[in-house]
């Protein structure tokens, strides 16, 4: 499987503006820039997109792992908090914290935590990121 995303940028770092697109069209020339990345202004940023990708990848991986354990989620909701910090040689994503809330009939807490940990370690986006990845997993009844 291969897919792509693209970006266009015009101008300098602070006064410039960009647009991000995806092959699927889910994002089509969606705006991003310095202000949306560092000042909380409208638009997206690479870290937000990485968070969405990581949350989606992890949740799908957990669905697969649950199926292998003869379990099926009624609902899973994952949030990925991505931390971007200034480091000695510029900026780096220094951490991703996954927060999972799930309703999985027949699962117990210990099994749930074990399977979620496997998904965290094994999903392709986790493998891509060279950073600390943590997880809080809550099994709802």
């Amino acid at each position: 499987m291969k897919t792509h995303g693209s970006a266009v940028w015009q101008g300098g770092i602070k006064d410039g503006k960009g647009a991000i697109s995806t092959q699927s069209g889910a994002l089509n020339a969606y705006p991003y820039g310095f202000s949306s990345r560092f000042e909380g202004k409208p638009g997206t940023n690479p870290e937000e997109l990485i968070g969405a990708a990581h949350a989606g990848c992890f949740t799908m991986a957990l669905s697969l792992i649950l199926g292998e354990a003869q379990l099926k989620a009624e609902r899973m909701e994952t949030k990925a908090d991505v931390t971007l910090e200034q480091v000695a040689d510029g900026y780096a994503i220094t951490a991703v914290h996954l927060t999972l809330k799930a309703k999985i009939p027949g699962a117990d807490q210990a099994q749930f935590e074990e399977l979620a940990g496997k998904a965290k370690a094994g999903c392709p986006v986790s493998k891509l990121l060279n950073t600390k990845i943590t997880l809080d997993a809550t099994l709802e009844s």
Side-chain angles (χ1 to χ4, degrees):
M1 186 273 223
K2 273 187 159 179
T3 190
H4 71 265
S6 61
V8 175
W9 187 265
Q10 298 170 311
I13 186 66
K14 286 195 174 183
D15 66 346
K17 59 184 178 177
I20 294 176
S21 299
T22 57
Q23 180 177 338
S24 69
L27 295 175
N28 185 8
Y30 199 84
Y32 82 107
F34 185 89
S35 63
S36 64
R37 193 170 193 185
F38 296 106
E39 298 172 347
K41 303 287 184 190
T44 191
N45 59 70
E47 293 74 31
E48 174 183 69
L49 298 172
I50 289 168
H54 199 185
C57 184
F58 163 78
T59 307
M60 282 185 75
L62 182 53
S63 180
L64 171 69
I65 291 168
L66 287 170
E68 292 170 348
Q70 311 303 302
L71 295 167
K72 187 174 187 180
E74 187 175 304
R75 176 175 166 79
M76 293 187 286
E77 182 178 332
T78 305
K79 179 182 176 190
D81 290 304
V82 178
T83 302
L84 178 70
E85 294 182 306
Q86 192 164 10
V87 294
D89 60 347
Y91 284 86
I93 292 173
T94 57
V96 176
H97 182 72
L98 300 168
T99 303
L100 167 67
K101 293 179 184 174
K103 187 170 185 179
I104 305 166
D108 65 43
Q109 187 66 34
Q111 180 185 33
F112 171 65
E113 289 177 8
E114 177 189 345
L115 299 177
K118 286 181 181 179
K120 178 185 77 124
C123 96
V125 174
S126 288
K127 292 177 181 179
L128 170 71
L129 298 174
N130 183 23
T131 194
K132 178 182 177 183
I133 301 170
T134 54
L135 169 66
D136 286 329
T138 303
L139 184 60
E140 301 174 334
S141 51

